[in-house]
Amino acid sequence: MNSKIVVAHRGASGYLPEHTMEAKAMAYAMNPDFIEQDLVLSKDDVPVVIHDIYLDDVTDVAVKFPSRKREDDRYYVIDFTFEELQSLHVSERFDPKTGEQFYPSRFPKGKGSFKLHSLQQEIELIQGLNKSTGKSIGIYPEIKNPEFHLKNGKDIAQITIEVLSEYGYTTKKDNCIFQCFDAKELERVRKELKSDLFLVQLIEFPEETKQLDHFATYADGIGPWYKQVIDKKVNGKWQFTSLVEDAHK
């Protein structure tokens, strides 16, 4: 199989603040196959579309709620209700200590009027656009740090699966690819929560590329770091590792 799919990572994140509705609408207009959603739960169990369990590197939480940080000086999505989260202003990613924008050539930090939103709101945007344009662009949700959520008394996998089901995403045919870095949790999604979605095991560390046999017992694919796929240049040409071939086997 040689067909490739294009995934809008965090939306059109090179052009607008990542994971905002505006970044998703622009991504949609660029015709990808899928648009990605990173998910973290709010205090009142709403799956919020944001890249990390922290708020202080993409919002003005430190200005609006200065007293709500934890002992490590970080502000956590899970400590705020969805209503509180929606009062925050989202901007281009920055260093919370210095305030410096990570990618200076991207959308200017602090400009515009961007907000956080829920998985439900984003699905409604994408499904609504599918209806009004006649396209069929899929969703690509990723649950972030399920172990942290469980330690804080929340089951992000189950809550997310329920929301996806409500919107018609239940099987491999439903234009939804579900991903996670936590192998134990992704296996649980398949075996304990009995999800029939297309599951992708994200892999970060070199030793994980040796666990393909196990991943294949519950996942439909892997999401490796690009350096696990591309090896080195020989005579100006990139050489590839055996990972793709191994995964196909």
Side-chain angles (χ1 to χ4, degrees):
M1 192 179 87
N2 197 26
S3 60
K4 299 180 178 68
I5 62 166
V6 175
V7 182
H9 186 240
R10 310 188 203 179
S13 53
Y15 303 92
L16 283 155
E18 62 183 53
H19 284 319
T20 56
M21 283 292 218
E22 290 82 355
K24 301 308 169 83
M26 184 173 183
Y28 191 98
M30 295 165 126
N31 276 325
D33 298 290
F34 291 87
I35 297 174
E36 188 222 21
Q37 302 79 28
D38 288 307
L39 302 170
V40 178
L41 290 180
S42 67
K43 190 177 190 173
D44 47 353
D45 293 340
V46 178
V48 177
V49 182
I50 186 170
H51 185 258
D52 294 304
I53 56 174
Y54 309 111
L55 288 162
D56 41 19
D57 47 9
V58 287
T59 76
D60 60 351
V61 66
V63 176
K64 290 227 171 80
F65 297 100
S67 64
R68 302 274 292 276
K69 60 187 174 191
R70 290 196 181 188
E71 284 172 9
D72 59 0
D73 280 345
R74 301 296 310 257
Y75 294 81
Y76 289 79
V77 177
I78 210 166
D79 294 335
F80 294 81
T81 65
F82 185 61
E83 192 178 349
E84 288 173 330
L85 292 168
Q86 288 211 295
S87 73
L88 300 175
H89 182 275
V90 174
S91 67
E92 186 60 48
R93 183 169 286 279
F94 61 92
D95 181 329
K97 289 196 175 71
T98 64
E100 288 290 303
Q101 186 170 330
F102 273 128
Y103 302 103
S105 61
R106 289 187 181 178
F107 198 95
K109 177 189 161 217
K111 301 290 184 195
S113 176
F114 305 104
K115 302 274 174 214
L116 293 168
H117 63 270
S118 68
L119 172 62
Q120 291 93 320
Q121 288 171 321
E122 182 163 334
I123 289 174
E124 288 179 10
L125 174 75
I126 294 169
Q127 290 189 345
L129 284 168
N130 280 342
K131 185 164 171 53
S132 62
T133 63
K135 293 181 201 169
S136 167
I137 290 175
I139 61 170
Y140 210 124
E142 176 187 343
I143 53 169
K144 304 298 285 202
N145 210 327
E147 198 179 345
F148 167 83
H149 282 87
L150 288 169
K151 277 183 189 148
N152 283 266
K154 295 189 185 298
D155 189 343
I156 188 170
Q158 183 159 16
I159 289 169
T160 302
I161 294 290
E162 283 167 9
V163 171
L164 294 172
S165 294
E166 279 164 32
Y167 284 93
Y169 302 105
T170 56
T171 74
K172 292 183 187 18
K173 296 191 201 83
D174 292 326
N175 226 2
C176 171
I177 294 177
F178 184 100
Q179 60 179 353
C180 184
F181 275 105
D182 184 327
K184 198 170 73 198
E185 195 65 11
L186 197 69
E187 185 172 9
R188 177 176 166 253
V189 166
R190 176 71 83 219
K191 294 182 177 170
E192 193 185 308
L193 302 180
K194 306 234 179 313
S195 172
D196 191 33
L197 288 169
F198 192 105
L199 302 185
V200 165
Q201 179 63 62
L202 293 170
I203 56 177
E204 193 173 5
F205 303 108
E207 61 272 19
E208 291 175 308
T209 61
K210 308 278 187 288
Q211 295 171 39
L212 298 183
D213 282 354
H214 176 57
F215 295 157
T217 63
Y218 61 87
D220 300 289
I222 53 167
W225 191 35
Y226 76 97
K227 289 191 177 177
Q228 294 168 331
V229 177
I230 294 169
D231 192 11
K232 55 184 181 290
K233 265 188 177 174
V234 177
N235 302 326
K237 270 196 161 170
W238 284 109
Q239 304 298 302
F240 293 88
T241 67
S242 67
L243 183 59
V244 172
E245 211 177 307
D246 297 344
H248 287 175
K249 280 180 197 155

